[in-house]
């Protein structure tokens, strides 16, 4: 089957750096993307890795290692508004977008 | 506002009712998706439409019936649902089925409660 595993919850304080890991098992893997979802809101796209390595977008960076079937989202200079659920998602050649289990991030003052 | 609009936002229906969820995207995308999000579970892919053709049916029970009349509109017809079908149903769209690089855009979802 296809699955993406993430830690269920991560906590950190404002200004800190946090890393959210994602390990995946999917067929026809194309790339890994990350989404943020606030309570009561829709998931919003954050970043995408089609190639191995690090992609940086402002305070957020995402990393992919295809050989390890592993990726992570790095959030720097954490702010209270970053408290949300974060999902990794695997794209496949069959136009599927399969989501991970989700990580709830709580940022404390 | 993401350019993907879902109606209604909330729906309460009995197990014998028939209702439909509607999704409309104003982004010019060619692919549209239905996802189910239950409490404490990951988003579950239900259906994928690419250029109005269904390319994926992820083992969804027949009480859920999708319809995609054109690339901008997607419906999910519901009938004889079960209480365990209560969830947030999310619609998403992306360009030409490339759900990676440019990302998928989600609607705000329909919160469905089956009583």
């Amino acid at each position: 089957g296809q699955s993406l595993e993430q830690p269920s919850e991560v906590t950190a304080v404002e200004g800190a750096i946090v890393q959210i890991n994602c390990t995946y098992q999917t067929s026809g893997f194309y790339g890994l993307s990350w989404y943020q979802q606030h309570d009561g809101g829709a998931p919003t796209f954050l970043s995408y890795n089609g190639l191995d390595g690090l992609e940086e977008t402002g305070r957020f960076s995402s990393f992919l290692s295809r050989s390890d079937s592993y990726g992570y989202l790095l959030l720097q200079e954490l702010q209270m508004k970053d408290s949300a659920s974060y999902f990794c998602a695997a794209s496949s050649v069959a136009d599927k977008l399969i989501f991970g289990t989700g990580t709830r991030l709580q940022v404390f003052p | 506002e993401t350019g993907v609009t879902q109606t209604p936002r909330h729906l309460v229906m009995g197990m014998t009712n028939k209702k439909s969820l509607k999704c409309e995207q104003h982004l010019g995308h060619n692919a549209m998706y239905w996802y189910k999000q239950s409490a404490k579970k990951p988003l579950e892919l239900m259906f994928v439409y690419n250029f109005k053709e269904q390319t994926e049916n992820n083992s969804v029970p027949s009480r859920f019936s999708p319809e995609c009349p054109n690339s901008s509109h997607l419906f999910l017809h519901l009938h004889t649902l079960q209480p365990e079908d209560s969830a947030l149903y999310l619609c998403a769209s992306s360009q030409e089925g490339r759900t990676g690089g440019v990302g998928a855009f989600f609607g705000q979802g329909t919160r469905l409660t089956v009583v």
Side-chain angles (χ1 to χ4, degrees):
Chain A
Q2 304 192 69
S3 66
L4 294 92
E5 296 294 326
Q6 302 176 233
S8 59
E9 190 168 0
V10 174
T11 60
V13 296
E14 273 189 301
I17 299 173
V18 73
Q19 179 174 309
I20 299 174
N21 299 320
C22 173
T23 56
Y24 61 87
Q25 282 187 313
T26 63
S27 57
F29 179 81
Y30 208 74
L32 193 71
S33 50
W34 290 90
Y35 290 78
Q36 178 192 63
Q37 186 179 27
H38 286 99
D39 286 346
T44 55
F45 174 75
L46 292 177
S47 70
Y48 172 74
N49 293 76
L51 302 172
D52 282 4
L54 192 68
E55 291 285 339
E56 297 181 74
T57 309
R59 294 188 297 115
F60 295 177
S61 303
S62 58
F63 172 84
L64 174 66
S65 169
R66 287 171 177 268
S67 59
D68 296 321
S69 298
Y70 164 77
Y72 66 72
L73 179 69
L74 191 72
L75 298 88
Q76 303 181 71
E77 300 172 23
L78 281 175
Q79 302 174 11
M80 295 293 291
K81 67 178 182 179
D82 296 329
S83 293
S85 292
Y86 292 84
F87 296 89
C88 59
S91 304
S92 78
V93 295
D95 295 335
K96 289 185 180 183
L97 187 63
I98 306 298
F99 280 79
T101 50
T103 299
R104 186 167 186 84
L105 171 64
Q106 292 192 69
V107 180
F108 294 98
Chain B
E1 177 59 49
T2 64
V4 180
T5 304
Q6 288 186 242
T7 54
R9 292 293 306 276
H10 301 273
L11 178 62
V12 179
M13 58 185 289
M15 289 189 285
T16 59
N17 292 158
K18 289 185 180 181
K19 296 286 184 183
S20 295
L21 309 185
K22 179 182 177 182
C23 177
E24 186 174 358
Q25 58 98 358
H26 313 280
L27 301 168
H29 290 166
N30 292 313
M32 297 186 78
Y33 313 82
W34 279 118
Y35 284 88
K36 175 184 178 183
Q37 187 174 33
S38 305
K40 306 204 185 285
K41 287 188 177 180
L43 284 87
E44 301 172 53
L45 178 64
M46 300 176 72
F47 301 104
V48 180
Y49 277 83
N50 201 339
F51 291 93
K52 302 186 300 178
E53 298 297 322
Q54 188 180 126
T55 60
E56 182 69 23
N57 176 336
N58 203 25
S59 302
V60 180
S62 59
R63 57 185 183 270
F64 295 92
S65 174
E67 179 189 0
C68 188
N70 55 60
S71 295
S72 299
H73 294 86
L74 186 64
F75 296 89
L76 187 63
H77 304 299
L78 316 171
H79 64 97
T80 59
L81 293 192
Q82 305 298 311
E84 59 265 28
D85 297 323
S86 299
L88 180 68
Y89 288 84
L90 288 158
C91 172
S93 72
S94 66
Q95 179 64 22
E96 298 178 7
R98 290 196 294 268
T99 53
V102 297
F105 290 79
F106 283 82
Q108 292 299 310
T110 296
R111 176 68 63 184
L112 174 68
T113 303
V114 181
V115 296

